[in-house]
């Protein structure tokens, strides 16, 4: 699988623009291209996509983690360009008029080897991808308790790594068995995670590509 961070608070690749929010393109062999969240600003989202060589029209599905504007603000402008993508939303996000919108309540298979944890704690869903190394978990802000997120994902297999926003998460021991940790966006304790897990830690930022 290949994950390209398109939108983040920091920049990894020179020439891209940073902004408060998160979005990543998830590419899995044999599966449609999935855009995980859309950042806060559609112009920045589409501009970064262009500089990364990502054609927004080629994206088949959009996965919205939760309804906060820093994860959904770019959606209207993206949908003006992409007229066909299916949109997967948690129940707390309002359906989009005149677009195919799928509301995910509980753990759900989206495509072969790709699933949603379902909305947890009434606010947010996360995406898991099965790889030969285990489950790679992609999170928006991790507003639900991290223990809840990990438990929901474990039903699909052993968790290999986690990528995305981890907000105020500080139960660092929950990550001891993971092999990859890439905190982005709203994560408040990046320095602590890097110190505790230096061999597992990967820097994020717009333009970062992670291949597993």
């Amino acid at each position: 699988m290949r994950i390209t961070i398109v939108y983040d608070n920091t920049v990894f690749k020179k020439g891209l623009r940073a902004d408060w929010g998160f979005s990543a393109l998830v590419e899995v062999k044999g599966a449609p291209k999935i855009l995980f969240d859309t950042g806060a600003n559609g112009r920045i989202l589409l501009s970064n996509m262009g500089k990364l060589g990502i054609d927004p029209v080629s994206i088949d599905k959009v996965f919205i983690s939760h309804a906060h504007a820093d994860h959904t603000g770019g959606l209207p402008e993206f949908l003006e360009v992409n007229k066909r993508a299916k949109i997967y939303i948690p129940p707390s996000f309002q359906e989009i008029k005149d677009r195919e919108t799928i509301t995910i309540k509980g753990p759900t298979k989206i495509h072969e080897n790709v699933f949603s944890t379902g909305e947890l704690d009434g606010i947010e869903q996360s995406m898991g991808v099965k790889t030969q190394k285990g489950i790679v978990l992609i999170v928006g802000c991790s507003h639900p308790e991290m223990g809840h997120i990990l438990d929901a994902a474990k039903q699909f297999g052993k968790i290999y790594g986690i990528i995305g926003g981890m907000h105020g998460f500080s139960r660092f021991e929950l990550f001891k068995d993971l092999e990859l940790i890439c905190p982005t966006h709203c994560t408040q304790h990046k320095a602590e995670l890097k110190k505790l897990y230096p061999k597992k830690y990967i820097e994020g930022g717009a333009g970062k590509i992670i291949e597993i």
Side-chain angles (χ1 to χ4, degrees):
M1 69 173 295
R2 175 185 173 107
I3 298 173
T4 304
I5 298 176
V6 178
Y7 204 112
D8 200 0
N9 299 12
T10 61
V11 166
F12 178 81
K13 183 177 180 180
K14 188 176 179 181
L16 300 183
R17 183 171 169 183
D19 188 46
W20 181 265
F22 186 69
S23 178
L25 178 66
V26 181
E27 298 174 274
V28 182
K29 188 176 181 179
K33 290 183 180 180
I34 304 172
L35 186 66
F36 180 100
D37 286 343
T38 62
N41 184 296
R43 292 188 302 277
I44 296 173
L45 176 73
L46 294 173
S47 173
N48 283 356
M49 279 186 174
K51 291 175 181 177
L52 288 167
I54 298 169
D55 180 2
V57 178
S58 71
I59 293 169
D60 303 286
K61 304 185 181 203
V62 179
F63 183 100
I64 297 296
S65 64
H66 63 298
H68 292 177
D70 49 339
H71 295 259
T72 64
L75 185 58
E77 289 191 49
F78 172 83
L79 294 180
E80 287 179 9
V81 176
N82 184 312
K83 306 293 186 182
R84 65 182 185 85
K86 295 180 182 179
I87 307 161
Y88 294 80
I89 61 171
S92 55
F93 188 74
Q94 189 173 14
E95 289 192 9
I96 299 162
K97 187 178 179 181
D98 299 326
R99 295 303 297 256
E100 185 175 358
T101 308
I102 297 130
T103 301
I104 299 178
K105 296 179 180 179
T108 303
K109 180 179 177 181
I110 294 173
H111 195 272
E112 193 66 33
N113 296 323
V114 182
F115 66 87
S116 166
T117 60
E119 186 177 71
L120 302 174
D121 298 353
I123 188 172
E124 185 173 345
Q125 63 175 339
S126 299
M127 180 193 292
V129 179
K130 289 185 180 181
T131 73
Q132 291 183 344
K133 295 182 178 180
I135 301 295
V136 176
L137 191 57
I138 306 160
V139 293
C141 272
S142 303
H143 288 298
E145 289 185 26
M146 184 61 74
H148 294 173
I149 296 173
L150 296 175
D151 285 344
K154 283 176 184 174
Q155 66 185 291
F156 294 96
K158 179 179 171 58
I159 300 175
Y160 172 77
I162 186 168
I163 299 166
M166 301 172 199
H167 203 49
F169 164 68
S170 59
R171 291 183 61 197
F172 307 128
E173 71 280 2
L174 293 177
F175 286 174
K176 63 183 176 61
D177 295 327
L178 272 56
E179 297 298 327
L180 182 152
I181 303 166
C182 180
T184 67
H185 178 39
C186 59
T187 309
Q188 296 172 15
H189 300 297
K190 290 182 181 180
E192 290 88 340
L193 285 166
K194 188 174 184 178
K195 183 177 180 180
L196 279 170
Y197 302 111
K199 295 181 179 180
K200 304 176 180 183
Y201 187 96
I202 295 177
E203 294 287 350
K208 178 69 176 184
I209 297 173
I210 302 168
E211 294 185 302
I212 299 166

